[in-house]
Amino acid sequence: MDINEIKEYLPHRYPFLLVDRVQELDLENKRIRAYKNVSVNEPFFNGHFPQHPIMPGVLIIEAMAQAAGLLGFKMMGVKPADGTLYYFVGSDKLRFRQPVVPGDQLQLEASYVSDRRGIWKFACRATVDGKEACSAEIICAERKI
């Protein structure tokens, strides 16, 4: 999926659209692999931290949640235009392992774990150069709008 198709499935826009491309979407095994190119021009680097810029952890979690949301939308065969949204509602087993800095390509992986009564759970990882930067179980709520 290129950025134009991603924008059909995610309601986010700059500066909060945090998935640049989907490299692999495997609906049979219910997993997705995507990436975010981390540029020094990102607005959050002006204040986090100017002399030692690192990507805020909450935005890494959001990027993983967006990848998981793409997987959920594709699994259900719906788009936001159809009246469905996914809200990020929680995380379990969250761990940060290394900082993400300008120039990194943040690889995002999400695998479906379960869904019950509109609450979806995904196992997610964010890596840079094959090294894990963050991992979590991401919980999303499906809502009709």
Side-chain angles (χ1 to χ4, degrees):
M1 296 172 70
D2 67 12
I3 193 64
N4 292 316
E5 188 175 359
I6 290 167
K7 287 164 73 174
E8 291 179 30
Y9 286 89
L10 290 179
H12 308 77
R13 294 298 178 263
Y14 178 83
F16 291 104
L17 180 57
L18 299 174
V19 177
D20 291 331
R21 181 172 297 273
V22 173
Q23 298 166 289
E24 182 182 353
L25 177 63
D26 181 351
L27 292 177
E28 185 177 326
N29 293 307
K30 301 177 181 175
R31 59 186 195 89
I32 192 170
R33 193 167 50 89
Y35 66 81
K36 160 77 176 142
N37 289 316
V38 181
S39 166
V40 72
N41 296 326
E42 306 281 355
F44 50 79
F45 285 132
N46 289 327
H48 197 266
F49 304 101
Q51 301 307 313
H52 182 72
I54 62 170
M55 185 173 183
V58 295
L59 294 181
I60 296 170
I61 297 166
E62 175 66 23
M64 292 188 308
Q66 289 181 21
L70 282 167
L71 177 58
F73 276 124
K74 284 292 205 170
M75 286 175 59
M76 289 179 37
V78 297
K79 298 178 182 179
D82 300 325
T84 299
L85 281 180
Y86 277 102
Y87 293 116
F88 171 57
V89 296
S91 66
D92 291 328
K93 303 177 185 175
L94 174 64
R95 293 290 179 268
F96 293 103
R97 302 210 184 326
Q98 72 174 30
V100 176
V101 299
D104 285 346
Q105 186 176 75
L106 187 64
Q107 293 284 329
L108 306 165
E109 301 171 12
S111 299
Y112 167 84
V113 174
S114 65
D115 69 281
R116 279 186 222 129
R117 295 188 309 259
I119 302 296
W120 293 61
K121 187 180 279 191
F122 300 89
C124 298
R125 289 179 29 156
T127 61
V128 174
D129 295 329
K131 297 177 188 155
E132 192 169 279
C134 184
S135 63
E137 288 184 348
I138 298 292
I139 304 163
C140 299
E142 170 194 339
R143 294 288 182 257
K144 302 294 181 198
I145 53 171

